[in-house]
Each structure stands twice: as structure tokens, then as C-alpha cells.
Amino acid sequence: MALEAVAEDAREPFAQMASYGALLANAPLNEAERSEVMQAMQLCERTHGYAAVADALHYAARALSAGVLLVGMPATALARRYDCANAGVLAGALIEEWAAEGGLLKQKRRFPELPWWTRHGSPHPLLDDCRVGARVAWLIDRHDEEGALAYSALLAAARIAHGEKRAGELAERLISAGGTQGALSEAAKSGLDLPPVWQRYAYRRSKSK
């Protein structure tokens, strides 16, 4: 049986696993879930190349972590809601989702495409809020690891109060606000009942400016 081709810029296995471990160091995953997610990360890098998935790895780790915390459901259970066999399959789907949106996939997808929000048949809109929240946090400050959960909670509150369209509009305003402090100001004047996760985040960030 022929061996599968490995992308030219895929890192050597030890470097891959070390970097994945660092990305998942604070993720709310059990050991089995962590192993599954790392294997999915490796498969994505070997298939599509490191350049294609470098940012997507961060996105998947942050969106999945935020989802577990915001939904209050283990990663395995959350994955199964999306018809993914385990947490690794869900993580792989998130990685390829980000890379595909950037036109970076080098080969066919190895993981399923996920539905979006209720109008597209999503089984758990709170995870979809986290997919948006992780994007927003990355675009505002890619180094802000705790931002994914905070923006996810904020956008979930907007979606629940006013619907998906208004939540999307708020996401756009946050991104256009000119950085973290501008985003904090935009959230404060949004008229939302701001969730506690966001309030704690906003307090910490306002003190660090």
C-alpha cells in the first residue's frame, strides 16, 4: 500500500507535537480528547502544510476551548452533536474551515464541513457563536488568548437577544473599532445585558491599557 504524501513544509513530528501541546496547554480537554485533537492537527499539517494551517491551529484550539466552557459540555459530547466521532474530528473540521476560508487548502478536506447557526441546521448555536467569537478575537488581537471566550459570550448574548443578523453586525463593529479598547467601548454602548464572562474580561483589559 502506497504511503500518503506529506506536505513539503510540514514540520518534523516532534516539533509538531510540541507545538500542539503548547496550543492546548490550557484547553479544557481530558487526556483522550487532547490526544485526538493533536492527532487531527498533525493530519491537517501533513495533508495541507504548515503554512496553510498555522493560524487555523490557533483558531481551532481557541474555538473548541471556548465552546466547551461556554456550552458547558465536554468536547466529546459537543463533537457528537455535530456528528463528529470525537473531539479530534471536530478540531480537524475547525482547522480546515479556517484554512478553506483563506483559500489555503492544498488537498481535499479530510474532515466534514460544519453547519452554521440555526438557519443552516446547526445542532448547537453556542459553538457557532464561539466560531465567530474566536475569529473576532483573532482579528482584534491575535495574541489575546482569553479573548475568544469573552467575544464568544458577548456574541452569544447578542444572538440570543436580537438574532443572528444583529449578532453578525455587532461582530463587524467590534472588528472595525480599532483594537481592544475600541471593541470594549463598542460593546459597552451596544445596549446588551453584558454577560459576566465579558464583564470580567473587559475589566481586566481596561486596566491593562
Side-chain angles (χ1 to χ4, degrees):
M1 185 174 70
L3 295 175
E4 291 189 6
V6 177
E8 290 184 0
D9 68 332
R11 298 166 296 172
E12 60 94 16
F14 179 81
Q16 290 174 354
M17 289 302 183
S19 71
Y20 306 154
L23 282 177
L24 299 171
N26 298 314
L29 306 173
N30 63 37
E31 286 307 309
E33 292 167 341
R34 193 177 307 276
S35 176
E36 292 162 357
V37 171
M38 291 173 71
Q39 290 176 43
M41 289 177 163
Q42 185 177 51
L43 178 57
C44 287
E45 182 171 341
R46 287 170 61 86
T47 301
H48 305 296
Y50 178 64
V53 302
D55 291 348
L57 295 171
H58 288 269
Y59 163 68
R62 294 178 185 184
L64 183 57
S65 294
V68 170
L69 294 171
L70 190 63
V71 176
M73 179 183 291
T76 298
L78 192 54
R80 289 173 179 163
R81 291 288 292 271
Y82 282 79
D83 292 327
C84 294
N86 56 47
V89 175
L90 179 56
L94 291 169
I95 293 166
E96 290 187 332
E97 173 178 281
W98 179 284
E101 289 173 4
L104 299 173
L105 291 186
K106 304 298 184 184
Q107 305 292 339
K108 287 176 58 179
R109 285 177 183 259
R110 303 297 295 268
F111 297 95
E113 293 188 51
L114 303 175
W116 272 102
W117 273 342
T118 52
R119 66 178 179 274
H120 298 303
S122 173
H124 214 303
L126 278 175
L127 177 61
D128 305 328
D129 297 327
C130 295
R131 291 156 71 190
V132 179
R135 284 171 165 78
V136 170
W138 179 269
L139 292 170
I140 292 172
D141 181 355
R142 63 191 299 165
H143 302 294
D144 179 11
E145 294 189 13
E146 67 174 336
L149 175 60
Y151 286 101
S152 298
L154 179 67
L155 292 170
R159 176 186 58 78
I160 291 167
H162 301 298
E164 296 158 16
K165 184 174 185 292
R166 292 278 296 277
E169 292 170 350
L170 175 59
E172 292 176 0
R173 294 198 302 274
L174 294 168
I175 294 167
S176 301
T180 300
Q181 299 306 317
L184 296 180
S185 176
E186 191 65 45
K189 64 185 182 184
S190 67
L192 287 173
D193 184 8
L194 299 173
V197 170
W198 176 264
Q199 293 182 40
R200 292 191 294 270
Y201 170 80
Y203 178 78
R204 289 192 298 270
R205 292 311 301 261
S206 67
K207 296 298 182 182
S208 64
K209 62 182 178 179

